[in-house]
Amino acid sequence: IAGITQAPTSQILAAGRRMTLRCTQDMRHNAMYWYRQDLGLGLRLIHYSNTAGTTGKGEVPDGYSVSRANTDDFPLTLASAVPSQTSVYFCASSDSSGSGANVLTFGAGSRLTVL
Amino acid sequence: GQNIDQPTEMTATEGAIVQINCTYQTSGFNGLFWYQQHAGEAPTFLSYNVLDGLEEKGRFSSFLSRSKGYSYLLLKELQMKDSASYLCAVVSNDYKLSFGAGTTVTVRA
């Protein structure tokens, strides 16, 4: 089934540890995104990639890094996790990035708890 | 920055109609999306408006007024499965989506 796969589904992490959230899509979409969703704040863009080999910062990039070595994979890394990074993380992709009619397809989410 | 406002919660009865309003002030405008998100699941696409007016898609309709910075999502003939959060999102000048906090709709029998 075509779509986006995120891993892990859920993770509890000690503060200060390094963590990578994985995201893979099989739709050959050019653009990929990482959002975090917090109660009362909605979805906020962390980082994005318009095409393989390029990345950009979103609204809340601090403490996170991404890479886009190929079209399919877009991992999100927390170098040293802090409790404020406790959230649900959604990876998304779209066919293009330079269009208003840019429908995003979302993964199922990764619930991260930092203690 | 982007400012997108929508009510936090709404409750309606099965079979009724509910209108979810969204107002926005953003850096440019390249369209407005509505997404549906059931609890514990991913958001899924409902509608896209870029021109003023009403777009109808079955039981769901979405309206846009660019001059007023206003949109609404209309859900008709409500069903229990429509209980979900509804997210308003605006495409700004850089073609990135900014989301409102979402409106949780509860449908009661």
Side-chain angles (χ1 to χ4, degrees), chain A residues 66-82:
Chain A
V66 292
S67 62
R68 186 87 184 277
N70 56 60
T71 298
D72 299 343
D73 300 302
F74 192 44
L76 177 74
T77 298
L78 288 68
S80 179
V82 295

Side-chain angles (χ1 to χ4, degrees), chain A residues 37-102:
Chain A
Q37 187 173 38
D38 302 288
L39 196 63
L41 294 177
L43 287 157
R44 292 180 293 167
L45 183 64
I46 305 170
H47 284 288
Y48 64 91
S49 170
N50 289 335
T51 189
T54 69
T55 61
K57 294 181 179 180
E59 181 185 354
V60 288
D62 294 344
Y64 305 95
S65 64
V66 292
S67 62
R68 186 87 184 277
N70 56 60
T71 298
D72 299 343
D73 300 302
F74 192 44
L76 177 74
T77 298
L78 288 68
S80 179
V82 295
S84 62
Q85 292 178 309
T86 293
S87 187
V88 180
Y89 291 85
F90 286 99
C91 180
S93 71
S94 66
D95 190 36
S96 68
S97 58
S99 166
N102 193 20

